[in-house]
Amino acid sequence: MSYDDFIADVAKAVEAVGVAIMVLGGLAALLAYLAAIIDKDRRADAYPQLRERLARAILLGLEVLIIGDIVRTIVVDPTMESVAVLGIIVVIRIVLSFALEVEVEGTWPWSRWRLGATRPSTDPERPD
């Protein structure tokens, strides 16, 4: 087995992990949704939580798939055509990621401070 074959197999494994994250995350979100609609106390929030969980699973899966595409393009097939295709794929996935993030959060990531929804800083020198 050559180095390129090994890296191609690694890229395939990374892509399989990305797909598994989306599929298993979607199934987990669906199961949590079904459990929530059975419970009268959680029923009202069941659908928004389903959408958020699905979006998060898709976002994480897309990030992992990008890793597989980058490894494949840089190591296995480093031609100008494959780099251009990678660029297009990354742009499409970034647009999808932003759209999903806006769908989940309800605002652009750089506008969260207006809603007071910023995450606490982990920098001990910077007070929140």
Side-chain angles (χ1 to χ4, degrees), residues 36-77:
I37 60 173
I38 292 171
D39 184 6
K40 286 192 288 187
D41 295 333
R42 298 186 308 158
R43 191 175 297 159
D45 292 331
Y47 182 68
Q49 287 181 358
L50 171 66
R51 288 179 51 152
E52 181 177 339
R53 288 178 179 136
L54 284 174
R56 298 247 181 249
I58 293 169
L59 282 169
L60 183 58
L62 285 174
E63 296 296 331
V64 174
L65 286 171
I66 288 174
I67 293 168
D69 289 337
I70 291 170
V71 168
R72 172 172 289 136
T73 300
I74 291 174
V75 178
V76 178
D77 189 23

Side-chain angles (χ1 to χ4, degrees), residues 1-12 71-72 74-78:
M1 174 179 269
S2 72
Y3 176 74
D4 287 345
D5 292 337
F6 175 73
I7 296 300
D9 290 343
V10 168
K12 287 178 188 175
V71 168
R72 172 172 289 136
I74 291 174
V75 178
V76 178
D77 189 23

